[in-house]
Amino acid sequence: EAHRFRNEETDDYKLLHQVTRSHSGNKTVLLTATPFNNAPKDIFSLVKLFQIPGRSTIRSVDNLSFRFRNLIDRYVKLRRDIRKNNVDSFELHQETIAIASEQRRLIENVVIRRSRLDLKNITRYRDDLKKQKIEFPEVIGPNLIDYNLGELNDLYLETLSKLVDGYTAARYQPTKYGIDSEEFKKYFGEDMDERGLMIGQLNLANHMKRLLVMRFESSKFAFQNTLKKIITTNQIIEKWWNEFDGVPIMKKGALPDPDDYTEEDGEISVDFDTDIEKLKKSKGLIVIPKDMFKYKDEFERDLCSDTKLLTEIYDEWFGTDKYKDIDPKLDAIDLEIKKLLTDNPNRKIVIFSSYADTVNYLFDKLKDNPRIIKYTSADPNNLRKTIKANFDAA
């Protein structure tokens, strides 16, 4: 694959180059399932295995180096603009299409493409398939099922409005609140890239905003779980901010909760410092001091505001039994299953979800049906045999 040869000085690339340029009659074909889904730099590295850039034999290209250099520069600029959030969605879409089209034009004469569409539309391939009695199944698109939110409608719209307009996700992007670059490097070392950290946190904050809505759309149970986790994490960050004058940042894993280390006399156990040092080494934990923030008051305000907002949303949905048994989406799914089984009692139905907790929630609500099984990555592997026995089309 192209990404393995980003550095053209690698031994693998040199050996492959020798194979493709040898005069011993070797014939070399590179195979990929995604010929156009690579960066221009990677594609250029592959083409150079077979072409001398300044003396191209591809009819549609006079100078490969010049054409690809222009394409690579445009691609790099686009990536930079995306990281800086310096391009609107329309411009991004237009430039992405333009770069992809130009890349396709440059390599289309050296790519043999055999997709399902090619086999269907090119006469000689279509006739050959017909002779062999080979057919591709027609894929039918999904049917959209509408359901009425009923008495949840107003709460639903109000919640969406709060998440879109009121949730700042400050906990996920603390560097947004004015971190001095020189001071940051002096404190954490020259190897720490505060600019990269800032971009990563911005992307994470945007992702978490989208995730909340996606979990909201998936199921009430998934939304409840995510709200719980974010509220808990926000509260932990608040404790760090107030008790240790800093903000902890860790790529993976749960942040340590100071309350778990608080002893009977109110003092923090020595185990806390020991565990923090372990996490710094094993998980890359860093703690940005409060004094390093230019806008620390704004960060504290937004952090507390997020905790309050999400807690209010949680209490409205799950704080009482008012909406406990109301789930219009579940009712719509249950009704659709009954319709399908009425038409054909032996029908097999598969329900997919992006989230395991939604799968578990559905199974719990529908488990009165003796034929139902569920499978997530957390379930025993022996369930795969049951799935294969009942759903393998082969």
Side-chain angles (χ1 to χ4, degrees), residues 99-240:
I99 291 173
S101 298
E102 178 64 11
Q103 180 164 285
R104 184 185 293 257
R105 188 187 70 79
L106 289 175
I107 66 173
E108 62 185 356
N109 286 325
V110 292
V111 172
I112 301 171
R113 188 169 178 265
R114 292 291 177 269
S115 71
R116 185 178 296 197
L117 288 176
D118 297 315
L119 298 180
K120 185 177 179 180
N121 295 330
I122 298 173
T123 304
R124 64 180 183 278
Y125 300 134
R126 186 173 64 246
D127 291 345
D128 184 59
L129 289 175
K130 196 176 291 184
K131 285 180 184 176
Q132 298 183 64
K133 297 182 179 179
I134 296 174
E135 293 181 353
F136 291 115
E138 291 294 327
V139 178
I140 302 172
N143 291 323
L144 184 65
I145 300 175
D146 293 320
Y147 60 94
N148 195 323
L149 284 167
E151 59 187 288
L152 292 182
N153 187 68
D154 291 343
L155 179 60
Y156 172 86
L157 294 176
E158 182 185 339
T159 302
L160 278 183
S161 178
K162 286 180 178 179
L163 291 176
V164 172
D165 299 328
Y167 181 55
T168 70
R171 167 262 182 278
Y172 297 102
Q173 50 180 345
T175 52
K176 166 188 171 185
Y177 295 85
I179 301 295
D180 181 83
S181 177
E182 293 302 319
E183 196 176 344
F184 185 89
K185 287 185 180 296
K186 186 177 178 180
Y187 191 88
F188 292 106
E190 290 294 326
D191 292 338
M192 284 296 292
D193 178 16
E194 90 289 352
R195 181 63 187 166
L197 182 63
M198 189 178 297
I199 292 169
Q201 289 187 354
L202 174 63
N203 292 337
L204 178 59
N206 290 332
H207 169 72
M208 292 307 297
K209 289 179 182 179
R210 289 193 297 269
L211 179 66
L212 264 173
V213 177
M214 288 165 63
R215 298 277 287 172
F216 189 33
E217 296 286 357
S218 180
S219 68
K220 284 173 60 180
F221 187 63
F223 184 53
Q224 182 178 16
N225 284 346
T226 300
L227 275 178
K228 272 184 185 176
K229 288 177 183 176
I230 296 180
I231 291 169
T232 299
T233 305
N234 263 40
Q235 290 169 340
I236 291 173
I237 298 291
E238 287 182 32
K239 293 171 192 173
W240 275 80

